[in-house]
């Protein structure tokens, strides 16, 4: 059995103007998680977190291998795991399954641990642990940043 659970926890949009994008989603009536601000924002949407993160910072983490930012969509998918140590094990499983390493597991400035991989078509996945992520019995994200 793989250490990488079959769950989609987070969809991150690389924001060129994060305050504007944040206002847009709030304008839809979507409720932000309490830790949101103009540097990072999140909206819990039916078990998946929609995250807004500055595109240049996201590119530095998830697309450092792409020479021109216009060659990258600015979107990453994430699978949050249950422990800091599981990031490394899930990363190893993904590599064994044929993923391309984008960024090895590291401690992040936001307080968690994560790694980035690309699937065979170049789609970027973050394998992450965040202490504030909470899941229900099905693996659906129920809280983040609280």
């Amino acid at each position: 059995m793989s250490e990488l659970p079959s769950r989609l926890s987070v969809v991150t949009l690389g924001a060129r103007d994060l305050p504007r994008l944040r206002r847009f989603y709030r304008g839809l009536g979507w409720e932000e998680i309490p830790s949101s601000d103009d540097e990072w924002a999140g909206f819990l949407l039916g078990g998946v977190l929609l995250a807004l993160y500055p595109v240049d910072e996201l590119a530095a983490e998830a697309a450092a291998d792409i020479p021109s930012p216009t060659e990258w969509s600015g979107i990453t998918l994430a699978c949050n795991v249950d422990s800091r140590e599981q990031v490394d094990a899930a990363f190893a499983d993904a590599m064994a399954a044929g993923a391309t390493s984008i960024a090895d597991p590291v401690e992040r400035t936001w307080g968690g641990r994560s790694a980035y991989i690309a699937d065979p078509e170049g789609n970027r996945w973050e394998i992450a642990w965040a202490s504030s992520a909470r899941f229900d019995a099905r693996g659906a994200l129920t809280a983040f940043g609280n």
Side-chain angles (χ1 to χ4, degrees):
M1 177 177 219
S2 175
E3 287 292 325
L4 185 60
S6 57
R7 66 170 75 136
L8 177 63
S9 312
V10 180
V11 173
T12 302
L13 302 179
R16 286 161 181 74
D17 183 346
L18 200 146
R20 180 176 177 219
L21 199 55
R22 182 179 176 214
R23 284 190 304 272
F24 169 77
Y25 287 108
R26 284 194 324 240
L28 294 176
W30 294 5
E31 187 175 338
E32 286 182 288
I33 61 173
S35 59
S36 293
D37 59 28
D38 281 344
E39 301 296 317
W40 178 92
F43 300 83
L44 193 56
L45 308 175
V48 173
L49 182 74
L50 173 65
L52 309 178
Y53 197 64
V55 69
D56 56 338
E57 292 179 40
L58 187 59
E61 290 183 11
D65 63 319
I66 298 177
S68 171
T70 59
E71 294 179 28
W72 180 58
S73 66
I75 297 173
T76 62
L77 305 169
C79 178
N80 279 67
V81 295
D82 298 319
S83 70
R84 181 181 307 276
E85 298 76 23
Q86 195 178 357
V87 171
D88 297 67
F91 179 80
D93 284 350
M95 297 306 297
T100 300
S101 173
I102 301 302
D104 290 341
V106 297
E107 299 299 314
R108 297 291 180 184
T109 59
W110 45 264
R113 182 170 181 78
S114 77
Y116 283 89
I117 61 166
D119 70 15
E121 292 192 359
N123 297 299
R124 303 302 163 105
W125 280 85
E126 180 183 22
I127 301 168
W129 170 79
S131 64
S132 63
R134 301 287 179 264
F135 303 95
D136 68 14
R138 300 174 300 121
L141 190 64
T142 60
F144 195 92
N146 298 339

